[in-house]
Amino acid sequence: MLCFSEYVDFLGLASKQHLCGSNYGFFIFFYEAIIIKINNRIKKIKMEGNLKFDKKDMLSNFELYLGGVFITFTILVTIVNVFTRYCLGFTFFWNQEVALFGFVWAIFLGAAGAFKHNMMMGVDFLLQVTHGKVRKAIRLIGSILVCFITITMLILSSSYILRSRKITPVLEISYKWLNLSIIIAFIFMSIYSVNKVIKEVLICLGKLPEPSLLSEEVTDIIGEESK
């Protein structure tokens, strides 16, 4: 019998295989943070020896927890469909559309969580070869550009989605409910990017210490994963 931590590992592996098989492998890193966060929580529970509801952690990382729910839902729907097809000889006509909804919401919630914890892919060559005020200026300019991009994407995606009239072919559900995940993700990213710009300004003014190239969030995650 699988323990809960092994079950979470299975979900992560199954999700990756499902994504790669569906040509969505590029988006795997978007919700990698969700699986890491759940695994870290399990390890903390094992160390403390009790299952305690951490409301503060859930509120500060609610997009990851909610994304984990959508991942679990998507995998379970897919497993049920495979079982009914090969064992019972029938499939649910709504399975693909429901799985798609869960999959897309998991991706964009994971994207917001990964952005919040600085887990997005990036090139830090200029930061590695510069120091002092030059590095601080580059960090500030980069944060401003990212903030501009996220806000622009929020405006453009909102405008496009609100004008959409497309519905799903089987359940006839408006695609607005599917694409709403994009708007929510960019709302969170815009908020987080504005906070990062403010933080970089304070760093340039000397009111906050300059962090290392490897962010504290990622350092904590890697540290916990290596134990």
Side-chain angles (χ1 to χ4, degrees):
M1 182 176 180
L2 290 176
C3 65
F4 185 64
S5 60
E6 292 173 337
Y7 171 70
V8 172
D9 291 335
F10 163 75
L11 286 180
L13 178 60
S15 299
K16 289 181 180 181
Q17 291 176 344
H18 173 72
L19 288 174
C20 292
S22 304
N23 295 322
Y24 290 114
F26 175 75
F27 296 102
I28 288 175
F29 74 94
F30 274 172
Y31 63 84
E32 189 73 29
I34 298 173
I35 300 300
I36 294 176
K37 187 66 182 177
I38 295 175
N39 271 316
N40 290 343
R41 179 62 179 156
I42 293 170
K43 291 178 181 179
K44 183 177 180 181
I45 291 172
K46 288 182 177 179
M47 292 178 62
E48 294 177 350
N50 62 337
L51 180 60
K52 185 179 180 181
F53 179 72
D54 193 341
K55 184 183 294 186
K56 183 178 179 181
D57 181 70
M58 186 173 183
L59 290 176
S60 62
N61 297 284
F62 69 94
E63 65 272 82
L64 297 183
Y65 283 94
L66 186 57
V69 172
F70 278 107
I71 287 178
T72 304
F73 175 76
T74 302
I75 298 302
L76 289 179
V77 169
T78 304
I79 291 174
V80 169
N81 187 59
V82 172
F83 175 77
T84 56
R85 173 180 294 179
Y86 291 100
C87 297
L88 303 180
F90 73 93
T91 59
F92 296 103
F93 66 94
W94 44 262
N95 177 274
Q96 185 174 0
E97 289 185 1
V98 172
L100 176 64
F101 270 70
F103 173 66
V104 172
W105 273 88
I107 285 178
F108 284 100
L109 287 171
F115 184 87
K116 178 181 180 180
H117 293 283
N118 296 325
M119 296 184 68
M120 289 291 193
M121 293 182 181
V123 179
D124 58 357
F125 172 75
L126 291 178
L127 296 179
Q128 292 182 2
V129 298
T130 56
H131 302 279
K133 294 182 179 180
V134 176
R135 177 187 289 181
K136 292 179 180 179
I138 293 175
R139 290 174 62 97
L140 177 58
I141 294 172
S143 297
I144 293 174
L145 289 176
V146 171
C147 183
F148 173 78
I149 292 172
T150 55
I151 294 176
T152 301
M153 290 299 297
L154 172 60
I155 296 172
L156 294 178
S157 60
S158 299
S159 175
Y160 170 77
I161 292 170
L162 292 177
R163 288 187 282 107
S164 176
R165 297 292 183 269
K166 188 177 179 181
I167 61 174
T168 59
V170 177
L171 298 177
E172 297 184 350
I173 300 175
S174 174
Y175 267 88
K176 288 181 180 179
W177 295 105
L178 177 69
N179 297 328
L180 182 62
S181 60
I182 302 175
I183 297 178
I184 292 177
F186 279 112
I187 287 175
F188 290 144
M189 289 184 189
S190 298
I191 294 173
Y192 299 150
S193 61
V194 170
N195 289 335
K196 289 182 180 180
V197 170
I198 295 174
K199 182 178 178 180
E200 292 299 332
V201 170
L202 294 177
I203 291 174
C204 290
L205 295 176
K207 295 184 178 180
L208 286 177
E210 183 180 3
S212 61
L213 294 181
L214 191 61
S215 67
E216 295 179 359
E217 293 89 349
V218 177
T219 303
D220 292 339
I221 292 175
I222 294 176
E224 293 183 10
E225 284 292 300
S226 61
K227 293 180 181 179

